[in-house]
Amino acid sequence: MPGKLKVKIVAGRHLPVMDRASDLTDAFVEVKFGNTTFKTDVYPKSLNPQWNSEWFKFEVDDEELQDEPLQITVLDHDTYSANDAIGKVYIDIDPLLYSEAATVISGWFPIYDTIHGIRGEINVVVKVDLFNDLNRFRQSSCGVKFFCTTSIPKCYRAVVIHGFVEELVVNEDPEYQWIDRIRTPRASNEARQRLISLMSGELQRKIGLKVLEMRGNAVVGYLQCFDLEGESGLVVRAIGTACTLDKLSNTSAFLPACNSPSKEMKEIPFNEDPNPNTYSSGPSTPLKNQTYSFSPSKSYSRQSSSSDTDLSLTPKTAPSPQGPRIFLFPSSPTLSCDSPHVKKSCLLLSGSSVKPLHCSHVSPVVLRKSVSFTEELLLAASGMGSGSAGKEGGPFKTLLRQQTQSALEQREFPFFTLTTFPPGFLLHVGGVVSARSVKLLDRIHNPAFVGIMGNTRSYKLLDWNSFNSDEPETRDAWWAEIRQEIKSHAKALGCHAVVGYSESTSICEEVCILSASGTAAVLNPRFLQDGTMEGCLEQRLSWQPGFFSIGSEKGEVDFFPQSQDSSSLLGIEEASPPGCGFCHIPYDELNMPFPAHLTYCYNCRKQKVPDVLFTTIDLPVEAIVVGKGCLIQARLCRLKKKAQAEANATSISNLLPFMEYEVHTQLMNKLKLRGMNALFGLRIQITVGENMLMGLASATGVYLAALPTPGGIQIAGKTPNDGTYEQHISHMQKKINDTIAKNKELYEINPPELPEEIIGSPIPEPRQRSRLLRSQSESSDEVTELDLSHGKKDAFVLEIDDTDAMEDVHSLLTDVPPPSGFYSCNTEIMPGINNWTPEIQMFTAVRVSRLSNINPTNQTLNKNFNDLCENLLKSLYFKLRSMVPCCLCHVNFTVALPEDELVQIAVTAVAITYDKNQALQANKAPTEKSQQRASTDNEEQLQFPLELSSDPLSSQPFSPAKEALEGASSHTGIPAAQRATSLEKASPLAEGYLRHRSVPSGTNSTVSVVKMTPLSFLPGAKITKYLGIINMFFIRETTSLREEGGVSGFLHAFIAEVFAMVRAHVAALGGNAVVSYIMKQCVFMENPNKNQAQCLINVSGDAVIFVRESELEALPVPAPTAQPAGSAGDVTT
Amino acid sequence: MSSDLDVFVGNTTLIDEEVYRLWLDGHSVAEAVARRLRGGVLEREGTSVAVLQSDTRDHYRTFQMLERLLHAPPRLLQQLLFQIPPERQALLVQRYYAFDEALARELLGKKLSKGTKKELDEVSARTGVGIRSCRRQFDNFKRVFKAVEELRGPLAENIQQLFLLPPALARDYAAIVFSGIWGLWERFWGFLGCPDPPFSSRDYAAIVFFANSRFETGKRRLQFLSFGDFAACAQSMMAHWSQGALAPEAADPDGDLPKSFLQDLKELKVLVSDKDLLDQHKSLVCSALRGKISVYNELEANFKALSRALVNVGGKLTHARDVRDFFVDLVEKVIEPCRSDKWSPGDLRLFLTHYTAAPRNLPGFRHQALWERYMAAISACLLRMYHD
């Protein structure tokens, strides 16, 4: 599919003065793509040149289109000497290659120079004409969409979630090539920027190919990283989750929801108008219920059937009467089409459940298979036109797939980089699994190299000193090893999949720590296979969260699925309280992979749950949470002897388990200190430096209603007879108890007292304490402790002497809660807050501190590190004080150890304001029984898809109103009222933006506002279009550090420039926001003696167009606006 | 554990108004932190000095980066580096170009040269405005002056467009520029002739005005006059005398004050040169005021001197050299005599009203319209200046 790339250079403005004599510039522009270069005329003597060039046309093949960036260089013409470069603009044209993303890139781009920063702006227009070419051996993957967002993007529908895709590309780092000694820093930086741009393009193309092979059309949760391995090279690697997505058109969004598209239809990517003839394509649907019954059986099968029978004999307690409330749709006009829909989905469910099909293949094995890709399969399905993975479909292919799948089972990784899932997707969560390995870097010899060589075009770019394609596929093998380990950990937890999966590295000199972590989980197979998931997805559209998780519980599955008619099935599913299914243990109680303390679920009383749950995913929307969440961090330093090569690697590997253990203990203690029982979004980062290791774990603690109340923290003295010691201990104990009480109040943790008589099932003994600091033994802590370790083989013994213990207790108490009006979390949404207002502020803060101790000990280092993080947080709270009440969401800390005594911490997060009044109202709400609340939730959630009918599949950005929803059932016409209130509540800032935008670009508004957020959504707004992925890499260097305001001035300017360039690219694509923004790398190096500094930043995100809800509803629906603002739903609009 | 590097960058640039003010006032980071501490921010927010320092440094860095753009405000609107909501941008510009009246008063009539800049130390000591702030404001005046010096068109509008200042502030700048060069003097009228704008741009216009026309404002006997007095005077002159004031739509697009007006003012001399007219004028005014003002006797005695002074000031306006004495003449020949005779402001007002109105009844005086136009500004100036 070759294409024609057309570029027009319109004008420049604010160029720097290049000719001192005239104070002017004679600028012209070079436009380069691949090996072709065009030039504009020289526009003499102007700082605001108007080139208005012709269309420069590049005829290239699509492979090149995907790999190459468009390179625009602005130069100053000089008659007598060489032309001076003013700066460059790299434009990734990938977004133009999707069938329905951006059609043109047009706008002002900052002209960037790696030495001088931004120097003026240039106005460019870029277009691409693609020609269809059905070459079955093509190397390109145009049309595959990429999303950084780790959930199914809003305004899309997941037809199939195929599974894990990964790829890596290796090259030499230009910075370390011999030529670097003779070229200028600028040339070196540019070579590096260009190379990385090229490599990411190539990587993306290759991943795209894999996706096409899997017959998907998109990658969600795409995470691309660079490993700057120094001498040994440069690795660009990426992971993601392949999906088949369906675009939901705004108008028909609800209707298609009623129809399950036929199998063939869904293979057409971004199909806007799904075929209405639906579940007639039977053979594809039936698997789901079978798999249900089998997936739990996996663990049972290994042993006595006792647990199995136990489960199945568990009496079905009376369904809670609130279930049916789901049917009470608010009588708003938008809901008129409900009832037929309800019927349809019922039918659908029953229809599929009675058909026992493909039994022989249904087993956990199949499940795992289905989520991975296979290359062979792709051969069969390859050769499709752009964006389409093939339309032939049919039984032949199904058969083929099954064969190939079983053949390839060993190679598959059932991993998902998603952190938020369509409701019903996640059945059970086992716990965090992680694996690390320490490797010594050597010169890179990688198979990817061969790939590049075969690709004649890029060959010239890559300046190889030496290569040896016989070398083993080192990096690939390393990662494969780690993934294998993760997979086996998950298996040990009785899980067949890993969700919230991510990989990272930390490199110091020649040592590299590779880490991978995720959450072991049992998934609903219906989402993983073609054709099996429509029913379920359809339903989701109407039912929303909570519904399917219920249905997926093992006990019920054993009893009901095949035989019940639709209504009873529905009834049963309603009966079980929603929002706790994922907490239920996936492993077998009698054969637990580790000692854990289990109790019956506090919500449904039917299934066993652990007493603490750690996960790397976001809080599922259906989860029932008590109170609010909070950011919990564990911080740790460990000294390490300086060593070389293997000795170094060995000492690091020896330290790692202890660090993991300590980090985990800290997390557990801090969690208990806050009276909470679950962690979400857990991310443990271990950073290696010359003489120390640092561990930083961040997570969001919450109180899950389904899990038992956490016990307090008990301090036991070692020498009971010592009076003063005893006193001291009791004093500490009191302090800790006070803190717990205070935190419970702060986070509004008032778990409902379950009247135990009413619930007949065995009441678990409330665990009163978790032993801390002294011993462990039976403690449930180990559920996750073990998960965190390298499998079962490492058994940790907790031995802490008294001073250490004291230190630990002290450090526990030094964590200061955020000032009033602030909450923080590292997940997408803050549990317990749901009334967001549209004002957001994304920021990046970077700190580098010198650990100046002469003889550092672990304790002093720990304290320093702790202080550093705490101060940074404090400083953020202070900076953002004008936004109170607000919540810092997606707080992402990255630690680096650039030099001996330097610690660098970078934080990116977004502050979102919320409406305090509503929060207050929520406070006032008396605690009600969780069951009731849950059902109210359901009801509330129901409004969601109806109201936002255009993106019913999106995961809900806001946790549904819980406490705030007193009496919500009586509310009618909520949506209208909500719109009205949200309109009123638009913050002054937002109004400013609105005004700003509405003003025709006159003298005072030429720059369009682009919002940036690390979240996948914008509060109070609806994303209407995804324009493509933004993935940018910049280098900035200076040789006049002092003159630029020192290191802070230098980095401040650079980060601002990076933001500016991201915004400019988004605006040029026609977007007004970046979601899922992430700064993946910020490598800062300085040499104050030479007055030099260098910094590399890599950022990515999804460019989108959003529309404010208030704008969406140009005219407020004439509805009772007397609706009290208390309906928390308005956040959701 | 010291922080070598400490930055915070928001997608929307955070602007703290308090810190901005401290920065504009020329305080160093340490001073600014000390002042913020005194403001009680620690107690309010429950934070630490280190946090405050870090925050202040961040803001200062931002402002330093912004300063380059503030030198050409339209660039601030077009630049892509900082995302700042429009209302915040306006605030930044306005605050940056706002000036201390005490300083402006000192600079009125002075050349905006390097020499003057060197004297800013003294000015700073006299006015109590920080030296760094003085330099910034001086540079602002100079920048505005340079930018509009050679432009055609109404001064204040030019300033408004080039620096995105609110009209009032632009006018003040215009006034300052105006006091420097005679060439702009006439254009300035046009500029000032537009309908009454809000405060601050007016101030700048006034400054430009004075910078251009080099009114003598530094003499000792003028010390009692504030910048506000001068700005008000300049504005009433422009309001009443410029062509635009009479017929805005007919005004020369360049806003040049018609030479004819200044020439015509010479015709008014007849009021004092013609003995009959002078006597009749005096009797008309005296009869109207008899019993109405407390200083009737003094008025009767001084009428001729006053009238001569008032008329002659206008006659001299055609010559740049004499223009500089405009305020000196008014003070020396009108205000000081009246003050020594203990006229009350009310007396002066009554006198000026009747003095202006009386020639209507003078037979053979043909310049009634011109006279009233002239006297309207003069009266306004005198009343404004008549204080201690």
Side-chain angles (χ1 to χ4, degrees), chain A residues 669 672-675 710-715 729-745 768-770 772 809 812-813:
Chain A
N669 290 338
K672 289 196 186 304
L673 200 62
R674 285 167 178 79
I713 295 175
Q714 194 133 25
I715 299 182
I729 291 284
S730 68
H731 178 66
M732 297 294 286
Q733 181 71 57
K734 187 173 175 302
K735 252 170 110 177
I736 286 181
N737 291 346
D738 288 351
T739 313
I740 294 178
K742 238 180 5 200
N743 279 329
K744 280 191 173 172
E745 198 177 322
Q768 290 308 334
R769 68 204 127 68
S770 103
L772 168 69
V809 175
L812 271 185
L813 295 170

Side-chain angles (χ1 to χ4, degrees), chain A residues 583-595:
Chain A
C583 305
H584 301 163
I585 52 165
Y587 36 85
D588 173 22
E589 191 182 352
L590 295 185
N591 187 27
M592 285 192 293
F594 43 80

Side-chain angles (χ1 to χ4, degrees), chain A residues 14 841-842 844 848 1010 1063, chain B residues 4 9 11-12 55 78 83:
Chain A
H14 310 318
Q841 167 70 287
M842 189 282 295
T844 292
V848 176
V1010 175
R1063 287 193 301 257
Chain B
D4 291 7
V9 189
N11 183 38
T12 303
D55 181 62
Q78 288 187 331
Q83 184 157 279

Side-chain angles (χ1 to χ4, degrees), chain A residues 9 116 133 137 155 160 172 219 256 330 342 349 356 567 575 619 687 694 707 725 744 960 1056:
Chain A
I9 306 295
H116 294 104
D133 173 15
F137 301 109
C155 72
V160 188
E172 269 194 282
V219 182
V342 169
L349 186 71
S567 62
L619 185 69
T687 311
M694 283 203 156
L707 302 191
Y725 186 68
K744 280 191 173 172

Side-chain angles (χ1 to χ4, degrees), chain B residues 329-345:
Chain B
D329 284 350
L330 284 183
V331 168
E332 212 170 281
K333 295 177 178 158
V334 182
I335 292 187
E336 287 180 352
C338 292
R339 200 183 283 150
S340 67
D341 290 341
K342 301 211 161 45
W343 289 43
S344 73

